[in-house]
Amino acid sequence: EVQLVESGGGLVQPGRSLKLSCAASGFTFSNYYMAWVRQAPKKGLEWVATISTSGSRTYYPDSVKGRFTISRDNAKSSLYLQMNSLKSEDTATYYCARPGGTTNYFDYWGQGVMVTVSS
Amino acid sequence: DIRMTQSPASLSASLGETVNIECLASEDIYSDLAWYQQKPGKSPQLLIYNANSLQNGVPSRFSGSGSGTQYSLKINSLQSEDVATYFCQQYNNYPFTFGSGTKLEIK
């Protein structure tokens, strides 16, 4: 059974940093691209980052480019999101998600972790 | 960026009815379109990918159609467990973008 379990969320002040983790199990982690998707309270979904199988390629929307860094450790079946220079608009539930096969729809999602950016 | 315009924003229907949700892309996305269901307090769940392919385990009353810039999700024989918010997503181009969601309630 595929499982994605996020951790590392919490309350952080604007301008500070936070690192999220996602522990994957139930599939061969190193064979899949991985991604983060977020959802602000009572809002829609926003794709945040994608990383290739080896970690050599990363992709971000303009809203987080230069502030967020996605990374992975295939030996530990773990995905990470380093978030720097956090803003109030980064407040959201962050989901770890697995793209299906060779495409970029998301066939498995974690339960999500809440990040609140506030002074 | 590709804009995904989803309609309606909310929908109320009776049990057993058929409902349709639409998604309009700002440019051709070549059927790289997925639909998700998100129940209150839960993570999104994939329903449809490649515009019309049913994800394993999803009831056959869900179906997707469309091409080019226009896509739709159809739910036949509405059940109480279908109460949720539904989102479309294009994955033809980075940045991947989602529709704003359709909240489905039972009348």
Side-chain angles (χ1 to χ4, degrees), chain A residues 10-71:
Chain A
L11 174 64
V12 60
Q13 293 179 327
R16 303 299 288 263
S17 300
L18 198 65
K19 186 173 184 177
L20 305 181
S21 300
C22 171
S25 61
F27 65 103
T28 304
F29 182 74
S30 58
N31 287 352
Y32 287 83
Y33 277 44
M34 292 296 296
W36 290 95
V37 178
R38 69 183 179 184
Q39 185 171 34
K42 306 292 186 186
K43 298 293 186 183
L45 299 165
E46 181 185 14
W47 166 73
V48 171
T50 290
I51 188 167
S52 63
T53 52
S54 66
S56 60
R57 286 168 290 177
T58 57
Y59 309 85
Y60 308 92
D62 287 346
S63 59
V64 307
K65 194 176 295 182
R67 299 188 300 122
F68 289 12
T69 302
I70 188 172
S71 62

Side-chain angles (χ1 to χ4, degrees), chain A residues 31-35 47 50-51 53 97-108, chain B residues 30-34 36 46 48-51 53 55 89-94 96:
Chain A
N31 287 352
Y32 287 83
Y33 277 44
M34 292 296 296
W47 166 73
T50 290
I51 188 167
T53 52
R98 190 188 84 167
T102 58
T103 63
N104 286 292
Y105 56 84
F106 303 112
D107 61 355
Y108 286 95
Chain B
Y30 302 96
S31 297
D32 289 336
L33 191 283
Y36 301 90
L46 177 67
I48 302 285
Y49 61 96
N50 294 348
S53 296
Q55 173 68 351
Q89 178 222 343
Q90 70 80 18
Y91 47 93
N92 183 68
N93 269 324
Y94 288 105
F96 307 135

